[in-house]
Amino acid sequence: MKVTIIGCSGSFPGPDSPASCYLLEADGFRLLLDFGTGALGALQRHIGLYDVDAICLTHLHADHCLDLCGYHVVRTYGPDAPYPRVPVHAPADAPRRLAAAYGMPDEPGLETAFDFTRLRPGTFGVGPFTVTAGLVNHPVEAYGFRVSHGPRSVAYSGDTGESPELVKLAEDTDLFLCEASFVDQPGLPAGLHLTGRQAAEHAAKAGAGRLVLTHLVPWNDQARILDDACRGGYGGPIDLARSGTVYDLA
Ligand SMILES: [Zn+2]
Ligand SMILES: [Zn+2]
């Protein structure tokens, strides 16, 4: 399994990265986890425009899903359109919400390009991958994912505050993409986002092999986020996510 960070900027795109989007590849199959603002552009540096085989959305905040609207144009009006519909696993109400964002009536909505399945907590197959979705701790219906292929596995937090479910999803994974939106300081709101320290604490409890701090908000000093993570009691390697970085887990 190969994991490419397409977008790792938190809440909105930054100068060097789109918002959330991760490309997972195995056996020639290409799965996107989230498709946030700006991701469609950077994605084209790594795969062809028409090469997405499936998409899983953690939640429906704009920085995690909105480039589905642009990708609807690609699949519906591209030179050889229509292209096969892409399976999209997303929280409740995604078809209506994304149709509204696009400025289209609910029917047909974006269904010409996408085949929506409502996410529920549990495990399902996507191409050669096994995906487990678990509800995490955010103000809207939001999932974290664990994605496995053979003996390799990756976890992705989506957006979450502290979450025992996230620890379960990340248990013994090779790679843990965990959000670290907040600088560690007193008085942070609960049930919204994690600090670098909390991300590392989750990684330590889960026994994850490598922690990648992501959903990095451009107004933060990222060295400080990494510093916070180094105080979380996690003994494995810790990286700050960067758009374009590839982790080959083969
Ligand atoms: Zn977000
Ligand atoms: Zn969010």
Side-chain angles (χ1 to χ4, degrees), residues 72 77 85 95-96 99 104-114 116:
H72 173 265
Y77 304 108
R85 293 162 80 216
R96 189 189 64 79
M104 188 184 271
D106 295 0
E107 301 286 339
L110 308 188
E111 302 272 353
T112 51
F114 304 117
F116 287 96

Side-chain angles (χ1 to χ4, degrees), residues 59 61 63-64 138 159 193:
H59 66 301
H61 281 158
D63 59 315
H64 296 259
H138 201 52
D159 284 2
H193 290 297

